[in-house]
Amino acid sequence: MKSYDAIVAGVGSMGSAALYEFARRGRRVLGLEQFDVPNALGTYVGVTRIIRLAYSEHPKYVPLLARAYDLWRALETAAGEQLLFITGGVDAGPESSWTIQGSLRSCNEHALPHTVMSAADVNREFPGYRLPPDMMAVYQPDGGFLMSERCVVAHLNAALLSGAEIHGRERLIDWDASGGTVRVTTDRGRYEAGALVLTAGPWTPGVEPEFRRYIVAERQVLLWAQPRRPEYFEVGRFPIFNMEAPEGRYYGFPVHHVPGFKIGKYHHRHESVAAESVDRDCYPEDEAVLREGIRRYFPEADGPTLAMKVCMFANTPDEHFIIDRHPDAENVIVAAGFSGHGFKFCSVVGEILVDLATQGSTRWDIEWFRMNRFATRK
Ligand SMILES: Cc1cc2nc3c(=O)[nH]c(=O)nc-3n(C[C@H](O)[C@H](O)[C@H](O)COP(=O)(O)OP(=O)(O)OC[C@H]3O[C@@H](n4cnc5c(N)ncnc54)[C@H](O)[C@@H]3O)c2cc1C
């Protein structure tokens, strides 16, 4: 049986970052991915992902984000490619909304530069926007987007260059841990390692059935629309946004890399799914959800639909992440349940996972990502 210092099961957003970090630290590491490496089914597809510092979800994320920005810049240097684009970020909603209050709390607790803007200010400054008068915005200049598919490729290439071994088309089926060793069974063979890192995204409940209570996959849809005024939606003129509207929370991007203004809505049509059987076709009902947001808040982007794509969230009950040891094994580390906002953190999550696997602890505060916070839930 071939032996490694560590095995990473699930070579997607988090797994590719962990592989690179293990290899960079000189560890013998094996990555196992059920599909191709990379593939069009992982949760990083759709070209781009938002990164923002004024974190409405909780101010505790801000130090992790600061580190993530630094590590993304370091990865750009390693890859010789721009992966992070700074556009500025608009958090928009009514003054009392979770988005505005959360964003302001993060800005104030961490002394982040920001500007509070009225809807009229935003619409004048960024003419692609048409916010209604009962909304306001927090503009934070460090917001932007990551080229998510390229980021995964950059982590993979850097991992391979540093000596990682990666097996595509090989699915983890089972593992067993005792005496400081984890024995892993796949559909192609058996391996052993000092540690196993599980980064299986929305497929996690398929690997760990008892986690079904904590992690639920949800179908999401992205849409790219042809702007009627393309000049309003260019990088440099259109900041990324995170908007709390009466219809739900929309997010979106300037036109970049592929044609069209890109928009999505958190919890799209509230469709919980099994990752193995998610419907990847797009329907008029999906288009209608996103068209409504474009028509109301970005009417100058309300041209024909260019493309749509299905992807999945992996939601926890409180929508905060799970980064923890497996309850049954000290040397099995789980990172999952990134609840639709994890990509921007991959670079720092990779570092945390390798800290946990190699030294048993990390300097980052991850106590609040532990699974036992759900212990009292049924
Ligand atoms: C539509 C959409 C928009 C989003 N927007 C943003 C955003 O703007 N900003 C942001 O920060 N985040 C965003 N996210 C969230 C972010 O993309 C995810 O949190 C992140 O990609 C999750 O990474 P992961 O590594 O957990 O999963 P993945 O990247 O999906 O990786 C999991 C991998 O594990 C593999 N796998 C599963 N089971 C097995 C097995 N048994 N054996 C081997 N391999 C296995 C899978 O094939 C897959 O490749 C968005 C997500 C979606 C769907």
Side-chain angles (χ1 to χ4, degrees):
M1 203 187 302
K2 219 169 159 188
S3 179
Y4 300 85
D5 293 325
I7 294 175
V8 176
V11 182
S13 319
M14 306 298 162
S16 62
L19 277 169
Y20 173 43
E21 189 60 21
F22 273 119
R24 206 182 60 76
R25 295 193 202 177
R27 305 294 166 138
R28 277 175 303 121
V29 63
L30 169 66
L32 297 170
E33 168 55 45
Q34 63 181 349
F35 302 135
D36 287 329
V37 176
N39 63 68
L41 307 171
T43 60
Y44 49 87
V45 299
V47 188
T48 46
R49 291 287 183 268
I50 286 171
I51 182 163
R52 52 193 162 79
L53 202 48
Y55 220 60
S56 21
E57 285 81 352
H58 203 286
K60 277 187 177 180
Y61 284 100
V62 176
L64 292 173
L65 283 161
R67 179 65 178 158
Y69 271 86
D70 288 347
L71 290 171
W72 288 122
R73 289 296 188 209
L75 184 65
E76 285 184 321
T77 305
E81 177 180 349
Q82 187 173 0
L83 301 168
L84 170 58
F85 291 75
I86 301 298
T87 61
V90 167
D91 287 319
E95 185 174 359
S96 61
S97 63
W98 174 90
T99 300
I100 293 291
Q101 291 308 315
S103 175
L104 283 174
R105 194 174 153 208
S106 279
C107 288
N108 293 331
E109 281 190 24
H110 294 280
L112 304 177
H114 67 283
T115 310
V116 175
M117 299 174 81
S118 68
D121 292 340
V122 173
N123 300 343
R124 192 173 47 248
E125 189 81 16
F126 310 117
Y129 284 70
R130 187 82 56 81
L131 299 188
D134 61 342
M135 279 195 192
M136 58 174 286
V138 178
Y139 175 80
Q140 207 288 319
D142 298 294
F145 61 84
L146 290 156
M147 300 293 289
S148 52
E149 297 178 30
R150 297 301 309 164
C151 289
V152 171
V153 169
H155 272 139
L156 291 170
N157 282 334
L160 291 171
L161 265 176
S162 308
E165 184 176 329
I166 304 177
H167 297 184
R169 299 182 174 237
E170 180 160 356
R171 193 163 65 86
L172 170 88
I173 291 174
D174 200 7
W175 58 266
D176 155 68
S178 60
T181 302
V182 190
R183 283 162 296 279
V184 164
T185 306
T186 73
D187 54 2
R188 287 198 179 192
R190 282 172 58 76
Y191 311 92
E192 61 177 28
L196 171 65
V197 174
L198 285 175
T199 45
W203 292 267
T204 304
V207 180
E208 295 290 329
E210 70 273 30
F211 292 177
R212 260 179 238 286
R213 309 186 273 159
Y214 312 139
I215 300 167
V216 177
E218 187 186 22
R219 181 176 172 276
Q220 303 296 310
V221 178
L222 293 163
L223 183 147
W224 287 258
Q226 181 179 346
R228 293 205 278 236
R229 299 288 300 266
E231 69 277 17
Y232 289 170
F233 296 90
E234 289 173 351
V235 173
R237 196 109 195 258
F238 188 89
I240 57 97
F241 68 87
N242 174 33
M243 175 196 289
E244 192 169 330
E247 305 82 25
R249 259 176 84 203
Y250 294 105
Y251 55 91
F253 305 74
V255 179
H256 186 71
H257 191 69
V258 292
F261 160 72
K262 176 181 164 187
I263 189 168
K265 187 180 175 197
Y266 283 88
H267 306 305
H268 185 65
R269 287 168 59 206
H270 300 274
E271 296 168 289
S272 296
V273 295
E276 296 74 14
S277 57
V278 62
D279 185 351
R280 290 190 183 264
D281 287 335
C282 296
Y283 300 94
E285 294 85 344
D286 294 315
E287 192 171 2
V289 167
L290 299 170
R291 280 271 151 213
E292 185 179 23
I294 299 176
R295 237 184 337 264
R296 291 204 175 163
Y297 308 111
F298 305 96
E300 299 293 5
D302 195 19
T305 294
L306 294 167
M308 294 172 72
K309 198 163 203 68
V310 167
C311 193
M312 280 180 284
F313 284 178
N315 297 320
T316 64
D318 60 8
E319 300 193 0
H320 296 302
F321 310 156
I322 290 174
I323 304 177
D324 200 357
R325 293 175 190 293
H326 193 285
D328 299 336
E330 274 283 293
N331 51 351
V332 177
I333 319 287
V334 182
F338 288 93
S339 304
H341 64 112
F343 193 87
K344 59 184 85 59
F345 295 90
C346 297
S347 54
V348 66
V349 169
E351 183 173 79
I352 291 168
L353 294 175
V354 178
D355 287 348
L356 293 179
T358 58
Q359 61 205 38
S361 62
T362 179
R363 69 190 164 111
W364 300 105
D365 175 12
I366 55 162
E367 198 49 34
W368 58 305
F369 295 143
R370 296 196 60 187
M371 269 180 262
N372 63 9
R373 71 186 191 271
F374 303 125
T376 54
R377 290 171 195 263
K378 284 280 168 246

